[in-house]
Amino acid sequence: MATYTHLTDRTPHVSADELLSGFRPSERFGEVSFNTYRPDPAQPSQQAAVDALRAFGEIINRGGSTNGGGFFGKLFGGGKKKDDTKAGLYLDGGFGVGKTHLLASLWHMVEGPKAFGTFVEYTNLVGALTFRKTVEALSHYKLVCIDEFELDDPGDTVLMSRLMRELAEAGVKLVATSNTLPGALGEGRFAAADFKREIQVLADQFDVLRVDGEDFRHRGLPAAPAPVADADFDALVDNRFGGLGTVAIDDFEALIDHLSRVHPSRYRQFIDGLDAIAWRNVTTITQQAVALRFVVLADRLYDKDLPIIASGVPFDRVFTEEMMTGGYQKKYFRAVSRLTALSREGMLDETEA
């Protein structure tokens, strides 16, 4: 028999050490390696990325520098003065080409203290610990991996520009993934031209590796399953989730309101121990700040592969049309795609291939 609980009853308190210990690949990428990555023979840049990251990891494990001659001299700025040496790599490519798999493979390969998290998780970490304490903690790491790198607002731009610079100066190696080239970060979100200097500082920390492949954005969103009728909600939850361990059942609007009282840096702990999610009366989110907070929760649910049953509007309508075509559309597209996959698993018993 399942145990039923409510996310709205949870307000986790997490220490700095507990926050930092969570900076590791999610369960989806808990055991990946370069050997389990399957490069597309038609896309030679994928194999090139594997080779470059594997070599980069070997250099870090040897405690060596990325400065020098030969292949890595060219790749990481060989022949430059020491101060101009790039701190790491930036994997640029579309959705679904395996950038997160590659990043997690490097994390697993590198020995010693290291961190792996999404861009949003690092900005949230600063918000939870303060900037100086975050720098002090991460400066002792050999490697900092930043998945889904993107700039959302001017504050993020200044913050991450300074954080990347200070970590690089401390000798930390940095590897990031993104769908946007470093010099184009922030475009469409805010007056990026006004922060050209900060964006350039960010770009200067990395050498870019392009990872080509079919961009999943061109496939369109997968069809969202029809929400369950309110009258059938309890029966479906019992039928589908009754044999699981712990299931969180919440009214959607109450949950969205509660999220404002839980710092996004704690969302991993917020859903800890759950086996499934059930939401009553999902509604369209109309406020941008609320929507972006919900995106973080969607990412953490996807990390843990928690199936969802929901009533109300389908997940392809959880954000407004303006949001889906605006500056944050990549985030919303990703969230809808992930929530749809989890709801198909919960309501249709389908899992991703």
Side-chain angles (χ1 to χ4, degrees):
M1 291 290 292
T3 299
Y4 296 111
T5 186
H6 306 289
L7 284 171
T8 51
D9 292 336
R10 296 184 169 202
T11 307
H13 298 282
V14 185
S15 69
D17 288 342
E18 288 173 325
L19 282 177
L20 288 168
S21 68
F23 276 74
R24 57 187 301 111
S26 69
E27 288 89 339
R28 287 181 178 271
F29 299 97
E31 297 182 358
V32 299
S33 69
F34 292 121
N35 290 334
T36 62
Y37 182 78
R38 296 290 180 262
D40 183 349
Q43 303 290 346
S45 63
Q46 294 185 12
Q47 182 61 55
V50 172
D51 295 340
L53 286 169
R54 195 193 297 270
F56 192 51
E58 291 173 352
I59 288 173
I60 297 174
N61 284 338
R62 291 199 303 267
S65 168
T66 54
N67 212 0
F71 171 73
F72 273 97
K74 296 177 181 179
L75 183 59
F76 300 113
K80 300 178 183 178
K81 294 180 180 179
K82 182 178 180 180
D83 291 343
D84 292 332
T85 301
K86 301 295 178 70
L89 294 175
Y90 188 102
L91 305 185
D92 171 60
F95 294 110
V97 297
K99 300 188 304 297
T100 301
H101 186 138
L102 290 170
L103 189 65
S105 298
L106 176 66
W107 187 91
H108 287 297
M109 175 185 177
V110 168
E111 303 162 356
K114 53 196 174 182
F116 182 107
T118 64
F119 174 85
V120 171
E121 286 182 298
Y122 285 104
T123 58
N124 289 336
L125 181 67
V126 173
L129 298 185
T130 74
F131 179 84
R132 185 47 50 196
K133 289 183 178 179
T134 300
V135 172
E136 291 174 356
L138 297 180
S139 291
H140 299 291
Y141 287 25
K142 289 185 175 182
L143 172 69
V144 168
C145 297
I146 310 157
D147 201 19
E148 300 168 2
F149 202 110
E150 189 54 271
L151 298 180
D152 292 334
D153 57 43
D156 283 348
T157 303
V158 175
L159 171 69
M160 293 303 288
S161 173
R162 184 180 172 195
L163 179 62
M164 295 298 98
R165 185 184 71 247
E166 294 204 19
L167 291 180
E169 290 174 351
V172 179
K173 298 305 180 211
L174 310 168
V175 181
T177 72
S178 183
N179 306 303
T180 306
L181 286 168
L185 288 166
E187 289 182 358
R189 288 166 167 77
F190 58 94
D194 295 339
F195 295 86
K196 185 175 181 179
R197 177 180 177 277
E198 286 80 3
I199 292 173
Q200 189 59 49
V201 168
L202 274 170
D204 285 347
Q205 308 305 322
F206 301 100
D207 278 300
V208 176
L209 282 178
R210 177 68 188 175
V211 185
D212 295 308
E214 182 180 0
D215 190 331
F216 277 22
R217 286 171 294 188
H218 298 307
R219 297 183 178 181
L221 288 170
V228 60
D230 288 336
D232 300 327
F233 182 85
D234 290 331
L236 183 60
V237 170
D238 285 338
N239 180 53
R240 295 286 295 114
F241 296 159
L244 298 180
T246 303
V247 181
I249 304 177
D250 290 276
D251 175 81
F252 188 75
E253 289 192 354
L255 172 64
I256 292 301
D257 179 67
H258 184 65
L259 288 181
S260 66
R261 295 184 286 277
V262 180
H263 195 278
S265 65
R266 301 172 182 172
Y267 284 3
R268 286 184 186 271
Q269 292 77 17
F270 184 55
I271 63 173
D272 188 42
L274 297 181
D275 297 291
I277 296 289
W279 290 334
R280 297 181 188 272
N281 194 29
V282 173
T283 57
T284 300
I285 300 172
T286 59
Q287 298 181 34
Q288 190 96 270
V290 176
L292 291 172
R293 191 182 302 127
F294 181 64
V295 166
V296 179
L297 177 63
D299 287 340
R300 301 292 79 77
L301 294 174
Y302 186 77
D303 286 345
K304 288 184 66 65
D305 194 19
L306 295 180
I308 298 174
I309 288 175
S311 66
V313 303
F315 286 125
D316 55 10
R317 290 169 48 199
V318 75
F319 304 114
T320 66
E321 291 184 11
E322 291 78 9
M323 291 177 184
M324 295 297 290
T325 58
Y328 301 103
Q329 60 179 287
K330 291 180 182 179
K331 287 179 177 291
Y332 297 137
F333 186 102
R334 183 181 75 240
V336 170
S337 179
R338 290 179 169 183
L339 290 168
T340 295
L342 296 176
S343 64
R344 293 183 71 86
E345 182 178 346
M347 293 193 277
L348 304 179
D349 195 21
E350 294 182 5
T351 57
E352 290 185 305

